[in-house]
């Protein structure tokens, strides 16, 4: 292979990386990610740049940091309902690299979604290679079967749980630090984010709330935890579920969630009440 065909390009699915970091209760900055991916890329050849895909109107600071690392921010705006649209942009852009760029023999892909398996096949057809660099728990089995993975846990030095004896010192749990009139931080963040969504949208879909938005907010680690938390907030009277007519299929309405704005806890978080949260009255 000629020197010209030894170049390496980087493609980052930023939302996929952010969610992967949340599984480890970590936040990874664009700078950290770029340094780790360049380290991986240098194994295969000289890294000559790349692109990071995301809705940069939501995270402009992250976009600027990618640009400072010589990784071009590619703007993939979300739909009006808030659905991430980075995947189609990555598929089209990276396929053009595979097909047209003679300075690219290897692509370091910062994602592990099964949707990208077609890129692995196309790369192989054109004599190129795709290598994954993502958090292992967010990589699909299909992708693991078709492309090599450099786990970001190892590249970023994130230590995973280990087996063995440990000395445990029992200590009282520290009291949560709040500045929301006694409201738990997690609940307060949920209420504020829901208020922001409801101000921008006609309704908040239950599926999108649990599958994407709550994960983006860092409120839970996976969809199961999101659904469990929403159920708890429904039981506590923080939110309520309702149905919205689906014009495309009137027989199957869309499940939605909305804040119960008369709830005292919601009012405190949103600044409409200064009173403390009342203690629950035990059932008789």
């Amino acid at each position: 292979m000629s020197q010209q065909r030894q170049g390496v390009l980087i493609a980052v699915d930023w939302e996929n990386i952010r969610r992967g970091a949340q599984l480890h209760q970590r936040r990874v900055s664009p700078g950290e990610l770029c340094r780790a991916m360049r380290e991986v890329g240098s194994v295969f050849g000289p890294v000559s740049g790349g692109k990071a895909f995301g809705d940069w109107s939501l995270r402009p600071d992250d976009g600027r940091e990618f640009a400072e690392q010589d990784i071009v921010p590619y703007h993939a705006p979300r739909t009006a309902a808030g659905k991430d649209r980075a995947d189609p942009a990555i598929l089209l852009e990276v396929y053009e690299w595979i097909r047209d760029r003679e300075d690219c023999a290897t692509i370091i892909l910062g994602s592990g979604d099964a949707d990208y398996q077609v890129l692995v096949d196309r790369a192989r057809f054109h004599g190129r290679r795709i290598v994954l660099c993502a958090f292992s728990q967010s990589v699909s089995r299909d992708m693991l079967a078709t492309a090599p993975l450099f786990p970001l846990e190892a590249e970023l030095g994130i230590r995973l749980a280990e087996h063995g004896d440990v000395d445990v010192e029992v200590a009282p749990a520290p009291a949560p630090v709040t500045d929301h009139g006694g409201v738990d931080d997690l609940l307060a963040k949920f209420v504020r984010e829901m208020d922001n969504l409801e101000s921008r949208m006609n309704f908040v879909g239950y599926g999108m709330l649990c599958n994407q938005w709550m994960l983006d907010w860092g409120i839970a680690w996976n969809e199961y935890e999101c659904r469990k938390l929403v159920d708890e907030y429904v039981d506590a009277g923080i939110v309520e579920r309702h149905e919205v007519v689906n014009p495309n299929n009137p027989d199957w309405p869309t499940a939605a969630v909305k804040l119960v704005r008369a709830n005292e806890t919601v009012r405190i978080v949103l600044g409409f009440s200064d009173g403390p949260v009342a203690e629950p009255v035990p059932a008789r």
Side-chain angles (χ1 to χ4, degrees), residues 110-247:
S111 181
D113 289 351
D115 293 343
Y116 300 133
Q117 188 174 353
V118 64
L119 285 179
V120 178
D121 297 336
R122 289 290 87 192
R124 188 177 296 115
F125 177 79
H126 287 277
R128 315 295 175 93
R129 163 190 319 185
I130 287 183
V131 175
L132 307 179
C133 185
F135 288 100
S136 55
Q137 293 184 60
S138 63
V139 178
S140 73
R141 292 182 179 180
D142 291 339
M143 288 297 285
L144 285 174
T146 58
L149 169 68
F150 283 72
L152 271 176
E153 292 93 334
E155 300 302 323
L156 295 171
I158 297 176
R159 296 193 60 179
L160 304 181
E162 299 177 357
H163 293 277
D165 297 336
V166 294
D167 294 326
V168 179
E169 181 179 349
V170 179
V177 178
T178 66
D179 57 356
H180 318 291
V183 180
D184 175 74
D185 284 345
L186 192 67
L187 173 56
K189 183 174 184 178
F190 175 85
V191 170
R192 290 196 305 270
E193 295 289 359
M194 277 290 295
D195 179 59
N196 183 44
L197 272 183
E198 290 183 347
S199 69
R200 296 186 290 110
M201 305 178 63
N202 293 329
F203 66 90
V204 177
Y206 175 76
M208 284 294 296
L209 178 64
C210 298
N211 299 346
Q212 181 165 314
W213 290 319
M214 290 176 69
L215 297 175
D216 290 348
W217 303 337
I219 285 180
W221 296 359
N222 54 46
E223 180 183 342
Y224 171 78
E225 292 293 336
C226 292
R227 293 178 183 272
K228 182 179 177 182
L229 202 56
V230 170
D231 289 343
E232 291 178 5
Y233 291 162
V234 169
D235 291 341
I238 304 296
V239 294
E240 62 183 14
R241 295 185 60 172
H242 62 108
E243 293 184 345
V244 178
V245 175
N246 182 353

Side-chain angles (χ1 to χ4, degrees), residues 75-129:
H75 186 52
R78 294 190 175 190
T79 66
K83 182 175 177 56
D84 181 41
R85 292 193 297 188
D87 288 5
I90 293 174
L91 286 168
L92 291 172
E93 187 74 12
V94 174
Y95 177 64
E96 288 186 2
W97 296 354
I98 292 169
R99 185 191 61 193
D100 301 331
R101 291 194 58 160
E102 290 298 322
D103 63 341
C104 174
T106 304
I107 294 161
I108 309 300
L109 179 60
S111 181
D113 289 351
D115 293 343
Y116 300 133
Q117 188 174 353
V118 64
L119 285 179
V120 178
D121 297 336
R122 289 290 87 192
R124 188 177 296 115
F125 177 79
H126 287 277
R128 315 295 175 93
R129 163 190 319 185

Side-chain angles (χ1 to χ4, degrees), residues 3 17 31 89 151 202 247:
Q3 180 66 27
I17 297 298
N202 293 329

Side-chain angles (χ1 to χ4, degrees), residues 58-75:
L58 298 176
R59 312 188 199 285
D61 292 341
D62 290 350
R64 282 190 288 271
E65 190 169 347
F66 273 115
E68 291 168 359
Q69 297 292 325
D70 294 325
I71 299 296
V72 177
Y74 183 108
H75 186 52

